[in-house]
């Protein structure tokens, strides 16, 4: 994923050639700035010596890093498996077969694989639904033959059935633990072959039309579902991310279009070979099918018969999550990241206002609005890690988004949102992942997970992404002064991730709130609780050596936005990512996902499983109290 970066010690900084390179990227000034004790306008309270901190918001003792093949959680808490890949979900589903012999038809009724983002929807005090993304599959565990490629249409169908979304009813027991309800009329699988419809400005556009759907209005399936959002009217937003990896062709003379290339299609080397057995994914035979994915999909979890809707007004790119908030003036605002190196941060502002008294009136709010992309500039006085910015509208006819430049309509702008953002000169970021909004002050936080190509030709460092070969990532935040519809904002870096163990000095050490006790890399998942704690989940290097010495397995940490302090709360099993976060309304249960444990062949999670299985974890306090308090 990333390359090892040399230690930027004082001797290298004295080297004239090295100093010239760093000066060109702005790293010299950043190094000097990071050597200070505090950060002006950013996280200020962390003590780099590792001395005890004084946050009143964080009510638990941080834990050490771990390399164990187990869930490790803060003292006074318990972490237990709620449901794992392959468990029966829909009526008639068979049990999970540990040898991988379940069929595609079985998997359509079982809990999906590699669960990622999720939201909790209460039914009453003791019952609720979890809507959970199933992002992708680990083929070597999914297929009975143990290979990493499909060898038949049955393999492809099984893979497609393990993708998408699982809706799961759960019920609270007397001891505050939750259990899956079976049977339940709510339990549902939405897969790569589930019927959906398009809505919004791009619906019906010629670029979405296929031989199977000449109207460009009906589409089958969702896959690559990364993170999520939740609307005020109780629907679930699932985000299609790495959809390009599912398309390919064996046609030797196929020529990729500029539009397909902009979305990193590699037709001759798809990560998954669905196109070998399912012509829908052959880009030579069905080129427009590629355009029908990369959207945000709205699902009503309370209505198991509802048809999911792909909301095109929110733009097409590699959606990470959808952070939903309601502006003080009533408009719905959705912040979104495009998770790829050098891509952008977006914001959608609805034209209409949220009607809390009549939820049915909100069903078209996500179809009519303005999509913006962010520009970040540095502080006018030259202080690193802070600055100002503005939201640039992606509107046909404005700022060069015209037919002369390849945008014949608003549908073209939305279908090719990346190219539109290029045209208006938005700021290229270090893989924008999850965004979360602080419920107390409205500030939005975004994880920029890493960027090993930052500083290469065509991707210079900039104020908001200040390090070349950024192996650790950062968390940026912006302040719109309480108005989520604002066109301008100020920003700063809440945490420039690093490793004081491997790099005691220099730009890879990180900001002062990164210590030897809490060091981590590649922040990914992100969420706030009602009290304003920031929950940070990681998906990065877990080698625990070299640049990543002392960081252990992927983990969940908790931050205090006011003091900047960060403490490690949980560590996952080997080779996993910790992702997804959802709370019950009383905040006494936290749900988090263990994704792809044992992707390196080194895990038997959970319960000494012969095939490691992605799982939903429920975290509760032993005394029944509020999580994190």
């Amino acid at each position: 994923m990333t390359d090892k970066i040399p230690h930027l010690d004082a001797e290298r900084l004295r080297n004239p050639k090295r100093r010239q390179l760093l000066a060109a990227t702005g790293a010299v000034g950043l190094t000097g700035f990071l050597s200070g004790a505090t950060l002006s306008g950013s996280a200020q309270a962390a003590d780099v010596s590792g001395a005890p901190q004084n946050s009143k918001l964080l009510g638990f003792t941080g834990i050490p890093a771990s390399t164990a093949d187990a869930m490790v959680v803060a003292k006074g808490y318990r972490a237990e498996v709620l449901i794992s890949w392959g468990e029966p979900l829909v009526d008639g589903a068979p049990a999970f077969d540990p040898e991988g012999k379940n069929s595609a038809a079985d998997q359509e009724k079982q809990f999906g694989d590699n669960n990622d983002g999720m939201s909790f929807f209460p039914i009453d005090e003791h019952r609720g639904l979890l809507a959970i993304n199933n992002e992708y599959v680990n083929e070597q565990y999914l297929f009975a033959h143990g290979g990493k490629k499909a060898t038949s249409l049955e393999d492809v169908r099984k893979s497609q059935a393990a993708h998408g979304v699982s809706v799961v009813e759960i019920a609270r027991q007397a001891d505050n633990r939750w259990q899956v309800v079976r049977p339940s009329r709510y339990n549902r699988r939405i897969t790569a072959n589930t019927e959906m419809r398009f809505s919004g400005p791009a619906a019906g556009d010629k670029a979405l039309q296929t031989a199977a759907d000449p109207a460009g209005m009906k589409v089958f399936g969702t896959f690559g579902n990364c993170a999520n959002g939740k609307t005020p009217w109780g629907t679930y937003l699932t985000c299609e991310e790495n959809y390009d990896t599912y398309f390919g062709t064996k046609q030797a003379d196929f020529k990729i279009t500029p539009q397909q290339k902009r979305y990193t299609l590699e037709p001759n080397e798809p990560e998954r070979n669905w196109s070998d057995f399912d012509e829908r994914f052959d880009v030579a035979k069905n080129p427009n099918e590629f355009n029908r994915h990369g959207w945000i999909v709205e699902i009503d979890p309370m209505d198991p018969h509802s048809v999911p809707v792909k909301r095109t007004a929110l733009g097409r790119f590699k959606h990470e999550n959808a952070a939903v908030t309601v502006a003080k003036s009533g408009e719905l605002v959705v912040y979104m990241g495009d998770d790829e190196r050098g891509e952008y941060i977006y914001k959608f502002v609805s034209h209409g206002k949220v009607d809390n008294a009549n939820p049915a009136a909100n069903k078209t709010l996500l179809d009519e609005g303005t999509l913006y992309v962010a520009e970040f500039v540095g502080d006018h006085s030259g202080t690193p890690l802070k600055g100002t910015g503005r939201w640039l509208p992606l509107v046909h006819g404005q700022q060069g988004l015209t037919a002369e430049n390849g945008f014949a309509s608003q549908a073209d702008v939305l279908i090719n949102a990346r190219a539109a953002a290029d045209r208006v000169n938005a700021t290229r970021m270090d893989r924008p992942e999850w965004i979360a909004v602080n419920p107390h002050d409205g500030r939005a936080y975004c994880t920029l997970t890493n960027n090993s190509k930052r500083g290469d030709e065509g991707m210079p460092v900039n104020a908001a992404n200040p390090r070349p070969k950024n192996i650790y990532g950062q968390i940026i935040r912006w302040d719109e002064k309480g108005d989520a519809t604002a066109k301008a904002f100020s920003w700063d870096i809440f945490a420039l991730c690093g490793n004081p163990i491997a790099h005691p000095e220099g730009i890879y050490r990180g900001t002062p709130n990164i210590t030897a006790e809490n060091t981590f890399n590649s922040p990914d998942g992100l969420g706030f609780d009602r009290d304003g704690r920031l929950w940070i989940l990681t998906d990065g290097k877990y080698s625990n050596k070299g640049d990543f010495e002392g960081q252990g397995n992927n983990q969940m940490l908790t931050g205090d936005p006011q003091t900047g302090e960060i403490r490690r709360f949980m560590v996952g099993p080997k080779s996993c990512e910790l992702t997804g976060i959802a709370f019950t309304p009383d905040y006494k249960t936290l749900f988090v996902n263990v994704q792809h444990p044992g992707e390196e062949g080194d895990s038997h999670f959970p319960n000494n499983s012969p095939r490691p299985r992605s799982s939903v974890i429920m975290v509760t306090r032993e005394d029944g109290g509020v999580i994190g308090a």
Side-chain angles (χ1 to χ4, degrees):
M1 182 185 299
T2 53
D3 299 322
K4 184 175 173 65
I5 305 302
H7 184 123
L8 283 178
D9 55 21
E11 181 62 33
R12 284 190 173 93
L13 289 175
R14 284 193 290 269
N15 182 295
K17 291 185 178 180
R18 181 68 175 165
R19 186 172 179 85
Q20 183 178 16
L21 170 63
L22 293 174
T25 64
V28 167
L30 180 61
T31 300
F33 184 75
L34 292 177
S35 67
T38 61
L39 295 179
S40 174
S42 189
Q44 297 184 13
D47 182 347
V48 299
S49 69
Q53 301 298 296
N54 59 3
S55 170
K56 296 180 180 179
L57 192 62
L58 307 183
F60 63 92
T61 301
I63 63 173
S66 170
T67 58
D69 190 28
M71 295 297 304
V72 182
V73 69
K75 184 179 179 180
Y77 289 82
R78 58 195 179 200
E80 302 165 289
V81 173
L82 176 70
I83 189 171
S84 299
W85 159 56
E87 287 191 28
L89 184 63
V90 179
D91 291 356
F96 175 75
D97 187 301
E99 296 182 358
K101 294 180 180 179
N102 289 123
S103 67
D106 294 340
Q107 180 63 74
E108 286 181 347
K109 298 179 180 180
Q110 297 170 323
F111 185 71
D113 198 6
N114 280 339
N115 34 296
D116 202 312
M118 61 183 165
S119 295
F120 181 82
F121 297 85
I123 297 174
D124 56 35
E125 185 179 354
H126 300 290
R127 296 166 59 229
L129 306 180
L130 280 172
I132 306 166
N133 287 350
N134 299 116
E135 184 178 12
Y136 68 105
V137 300
N138 296 106
E139 285 86 355
Q140 69 270 33
Y141 301 131
L142 180 75
F143 301 143
H145 56 70
K148 292 189 176 182
K149 293 289 185 181
T151 60
S152 65
L153 180 59
E154 169 69 11
D155 279 353
V156 171
R157 291 289 184 245
K158 186 176 182 181
S159 178
Q160 291 171 343
H163 282 72
V165 176
S166 297
V167 179
V168 184
E169 182 180 357
I170 59 176
R172 192 199 306 261
Q173 307 305 297
D175 59 0
N176 197 39
R177 290 176 167 93
W178 294 77
Q179 289 184 355
V180 175
V181 176
R182 303 182 183 94
S184 167
R185 71 182 187 90
Y186 296 108
N187 288 354
R188 181 184 185 189
R189 285 302 324 285
I190 296 167
T191 74
N193 288 303
T194 299
E195 182 177 327
M196 305 181 178
R197 67 178 178 88
F198 286 114
S199 71
D205 187 80
K206 62 182 180 180
L208 302 183
Q209 296 170 4
T210 64
D213 175 29
M217 295 297 294
K218 183 170 70 173
V219 59
F220 287 95
T222 185
F223 44 87
N225 304 80
C226 190
N228 60 299
K230 182 179 179 181
T231 69
W233 51 92
T235 58
Y236 183 68
L237 303 180
T238 183
C239 303
E240 298 176 343
E241 188 194 15
N242 293 315
Y243 65 95
D244 58 304
T245 63
Y246 297 84
F247 291 87
T249 187
K250 289 185 175 180
Q251 185 171 307
D253 59 351
F254 176 77
K255 293 183 179 179
I256 189 171
T257 68
Q259 291 82 4
Q260 292 169 336
K261 185 177 181 180
R262 187 64 185 84
Y263 287 99
T264 62
L265 175 66
E266 296 183 6
N268 298 319
E269 296 182 3
E271 187 172 334
R272 287 170 181 81
N273 62 327
W274 288 4
S275 59
D276 288 352
F277 303 97
D278 187 344
E279 287 190 355
R280 180 156 71 100
F281 295 90
D282 188 318
V283 289
K285 296 178 179 178
N286 292 291
N288 279 0
E289 185 67 28
F290 186 70
N291 301 329
R292 291 153 65 87
H293 306 278
W295 303 98
I296 285 181
V297 187
E298 185 175 12
I299 298 168
D300 184 351
M302 294 294 182
D303 181 359
H305 303 293
S306 60
V307 176
V309 183
K310 296 199 176 190
R311 301 289 185 184
T312 64
L314 298 174
R316 173 174 164 263
F317 43 89
K318 293 188 179 181
H319 286 277
E320 179 72 16
N321 85 323
V324 179
T325 189
V326 179
K328 289 182 178 179
S329 51
E331 292 88 352
L332 190 79
V333 176
V334 186
Y335 298 103
M336 301 166 286
D338 184 353
D339 181 12
E340 199 153 75
R341 290 185 294 257
E343 293 304 332
Y344 304 109
I345 293 174
Y346 298 81
K347 176 171 82 169
F348 172 84
V349 180
S350 68
H351 290 166
K353 297 184 178 183
V354 176
D355 187 342
N356 292 319
N358 181 18
N362 300 315
K363 290 188 174 180
T364 61
L365 273 185
L366 291 173
D367 288 337
E368 299 175 354
T370 302
L371 183 66
Y372 298 87
V373 65
E375 176 189 43
F376 292 83
V377 297
D379 177 59
H380 71 278
S381 63
T383 304
L385 307 187
K386 63 184 297 186
T388 59
R390 58 177 179 156
W391 294 104
L392 308 172
L394 298 180
V395 177
H396 179 246
Q398 298 182 18
Q399 301 191 82
L401 301 177
T402 62
E404 292 78 11
N405 292 319
F407 303 96
S409 64
Q410 184 63 19
D412 278 349
V413 171
L414 296 169
I415 293 170
N416 300 290
R418 282 185 171 180
D422 294 342
R423 170 61 59 176
V424 303
N425 294 318
T427 302
R428 303 181 70 185
M429 308 296 286
D430 287 345
R431 288 186 58 196
E433 299 229 32
W434 292 52
I435 301 173
V437 179
N438 189 327
H440 294 278
D441 62 16
R443 282 185 177 181
Y445 290 62
C446 179
T447 50
L448 302 173
T449 198
N450 58 53
N451 186 351
S452 61
K453 294 186 177 181
R454 178 65 68 181
D456 291 352
E457 184 177 356
M459 200 181 296
V461 297
N462 56 49
N465 306 271
R467 292 183 295 187
K469 307 297 181 184
N470 181 12
I471 60 173
Y472 294 121
Q474 64 259 24
I475 302 174
I476 195 170
R477 62 184 175 184
W478 56 90
D479 186 356
E480 296 167 311
K481 301 188 184 302
D483 179 9
T485 68
K487 306 299 191 300
F489 55 86
S490 59
W491 65 267
D492 65 5
I493 298 293
F494 173 71
L496 193 69
C497 304
N499 191 350
I501 300 171
H503 302 287
E505 298 178 357
I507 61 175
Y508 299 105
R509 186 224 166 277
T511 42
N513 57 342
I514 304 300
T515 72
E517 284 71 31
N518 69 14
T519 177
F520 63 99
N521 73 88
S522 302
D524 188 334
L526 205 61
F528 276 98
D529 61 26
R530 68 182 178 191
D531 294 325
R533 298 178 196 87
L534 180 65
W535 297 84
I536 306 162
L537 303 95
T538 72
D539 177 23
K541 292 288 189 180
Y542 39 73
S543 67
N544 202 44
K545 60 185 179 181
D547 291 318
F548 309 99
E549 178 186 356
Q551 295 187 333
N553 297 344
N554 278 308
Q555 56 194 276
M556 175 190 280
L557 309 102
T558 312
D560 184 331
Q562 295 301 315
T563 69
E565 184 184 349
I566 299 172
R567 296 181 191 172
R568 187 181 291 110
F569 178 78
M570 174 187 287
V571 183
K574 290 185 176 182
S575 301
C576 83
E577 169 189 354
L578 285 187
T579 183
I581 182 168
F583 291 91
T584 52
D586 60 8
Y587 287 85
K588 293 183 177 180
T589 305
L590 177 156
F591 299 100
V592 62
N593 289 319
V594 172
Q595 188 187 83
H596 62 70
E599 67 175 355
E600 300 293 338
D602 55 357
S603 176
H604 295 283
F605 181 87
N607 304 321
N608 201 32
S609 173
R611 289 181 181 241
R613 300 162 68 187
S614 296
S615 303
V616 181
I617 306 299
M618 57 179 171
V619 179
T620 53
R621 274 175 55 161
E622 292 174 353
D623 65 4
V626 171
I627 303 295

